[in-house]
Structures are given as C-alpha cells and as structure tokens.
Amino acid sequence: MEAELEVAPATPVRAFCNPIQNVRIKPPESALAAAQHKAVGSMLNRGLTISTPYHQDNAVCEPAADGSQILTCWMPLHDVTPDNGTLVVVPRSHRLGLLPHTVHPENKEVYLENDYVDRTVEAMNADPALTAGLPDGVQVLRVPFERGDVLFLDKLTVHASAPNTTDDFRLSCDFRYNIAGQHTGRCVLPGFYPLNYHGCGPDEEAAAAAAEAERSVTRAFHKEHFASLTATARSGDEWGALWHRKRTDLANASERTAILGRDRWLQAA
C-alpha cells in the first residue's frame, strides 16, 4: 500500500506500508489473569494480548531507523472505550526525542516505567513551549474511538493501551508507513523496495543498493529518486516468496530477538 506523505511545504513524497504491522485481539483481562501467574503466562506478549505498557514505537525499531520518518496508523474494528482497552496517549511527547526504555526480564518487552512517564509529563508542563495552546497543560489522554476512526501517531509519541475490563474482546489493527527508501526498522523483514534493507538484511545485493542510495539520496526524495525506486521495486510474487522464506527463518530464536529491536536497551542496562 502506498500513500502521499507531506514532509515539508510543497514537498510531497511517496510513502509505502512498513512491514511492522499487527492485528491485536485483546481478550478480557480477567480471562488471562490466571495465565499470567504461570510460567507460560509470564512469556505472553502483553502488547498483543493484554494491556500495553507505555512506550514509543521508535524504541522497538533498529537504531538504523532513528532517522526514518515513520507514521503509525491505529484502527479499531469496533467502538473502543476506556473500559475495553483504549489507547492512552501523551500529547506532544514526540518533541522529546527517543526516551530511555527498559526491557522486561521475563517476556523481554520494551517499555517505559510508569513513574518515569509521570515525571516526564510533569517536566513537560513546566516547559511553556510544550504547553502553548493547551489551557490545561499536557494531560495523559484515554482516547475513545468509534468504528471507522483512525489514530495517527508519530514514532516518538509516548502511548500505551489500557486493560480490557469488559467481558468481550477488543479488536484493532495497526499499520506503519515510511518514506520509500528509508530504513523500516525491521531489517530482518522484507521491504517492498530492496533499498529498505539498508545493509542489515540477508540480501547482499539489496544491501549494496542501499549503501549506494544512502550516499546519493537526500531527504527531499524528488520525483527522479522515486522513479529509480519504482524501477527497483520487487514484484508481488518476489515479495510474497521472501515473506514465506522469512516465516521459516523466524523459527530461529536469535532472529526473533533481533526483530524486536531490544538490543540497544539491553546494552544500555
């Protein structure tokens, strides 16, 4: 999927759907409470099944994507309320840059500590530049949604999802878009353009093309550059074959670790 992304006045560029995508089926929290206290339960990916702790999407990307412009599109498949697990967002937090995250010792989830977020919001409210135009200052928002709504998040926006305290499931999906040719943050996953490997994927030919692109491509991404990207875009059959191969590769535990982009936080601990 492709879309026009405005990065500067009168400078539209082509964006493509990033391989970081999720379909989230959040069961009632009460139905999973017992499992959380078992060994297998402690390894649950809470972000996909239960509540999601505070984090920035950038924090679970490889560092090579820190300079990429990535937009998250979160879509509920029905009405979502604070009771059934809506998103919790800290407005304007994207202006703070990438914040220091923690890695959970058991399920390896990357997150921001609640008290750290509380202190961060307090500091934001002491900064007139961050509170300008906000009569009540920066407030943590629990955002209600109706079916058909879409929430757009910068990769640096601090957010979380509340627990589902109802007796029904909460269903949502999220997609990410980045400028064609920029690093996707998941070099182990096939991008639609070979350039998106940026030298860290298994495709040596794509890595060489990416290195050359980095030397010659400016942030403007003019039409001439997009024409060259189009010429090197993978066919649907080729892209599909790479994903089938990658599904097998991901049975390897070391690749599962790499895909979550947690290494930088483990090294910093």
Side-chain angles (χ1 to χ4, degrees), residues 111-172:
Y111 67 100
L112 292 168
E113 299 277 3
N114 286 347
D115 60 347
Y116 177 83
V117 174
D118 291 341
R119 294 196 304 272
T120 298
V121 172
E122 184 178 351
M124 291 176 70
N125 279 311
D127 185 343
L130 293 175
T131 58
L134 300 177
D136 298 321
V138 176
Q139 302 286 324
V140 176
L141 303 178
R142 289 179 175 251
V143 187
F145 295 90
E146 295 181 355
R147 184 176 61 180
D149 287 344
V150 180
L151 177 66
F152 296 97
L153 294 170
D154 185 272
K155 67 177 182 178
L156 291 170
T157 299
V158 174
H159 62 286
S161 75
N164 179 5
T165 59
T166 69
D167 294 327
D168 206 349
F169 287 81
R170 192 218 71 182
L171 307 176
S172 68

Side-chain angles (χ1 to χ4, degrees), residues 26-210:
K26 182 181 287 191
E29 188 98 343
S30 58
L32 293 169
Q36 292 178 52
H37 298 290
K38 298 178 182 178
V40 66
S42 67
M43 297 304 293
L44 287 172
N45 185 329
R46 293 180 58 88
L48 294 179
T49 57
I50 313 179
S51 57
T52 309
Y54 284 113
H55 67 283
Q56 296 167 301
D57 286 349
N58 193 166
V60 292
C61 294
E62 283 107 344
D66 286 353
S68 299
Q69 187 169 358
I70 300 175
L71 183 72
T72 297
C73 307
W74 187 90
M75 292 170 282
L77 302 183
H78 51 78
D79 293 354
V80 173
T81 70
D83 293 330
N84 67 358
T86 194
L87 288 200
V88 183
V89 179
V90 181
R92 301 188 179 180
S93 53
H94 66 287
R95 301 184 186 181
L96 303 176
L98 183 59
L99 302 174
H101 286 63
T102 299
V103 179
H104 192 283
E106 292 182 335
N107 63 20
K108 307 305 180 185
E109 194 167 42
V110 176
Y111 67 100
L112 292 168
E113 299 277 3
N114 286 347
D115 60 347
Y116 177 83
V117 174
D118 291 341
R119 294 196 304 272
T120 298
V121 172
E122 184 178 351
M124 291 176 70
N125 279 311
D127 185 343
L130 293 175
T131 58
L134 300 177
D136 298 321
V138 176
Q139 302 286 324
V140 176
L141 303 178
R142 289 179 175 251
V143 187
F145 295 90
E146 295 181 355
R147 184 176 61 180
D149 287 344
V150 180
L151 177 66
F152 296 97
L153 294 170
D154 185 272
K155 67 177 182 178
L156 291 170
T157 299
V158 174
H159 62 286
S161 75
N164 179 5
T165 59
T166 69
D167 294 327
D168 206 349
F169 287 81
R170 192 218 71 182
L171 307 176
S172 68
C173 56
D174 48 271
F175 302 91
R176 283 154 191 80
Y177 290 86
N178 64 268
I179 295 174
Q182 289 188 348
H183 198 291
T184 67
R186 286 289 189 277
C187 61
V188 299
L189 297 179
F192 193 73
Y193 295 97
L195 298 179
N196 288 108
Y197 276 107
H198 272 247
C200 62
D203 189 331
E204 293 182 3
E205 189 173 325

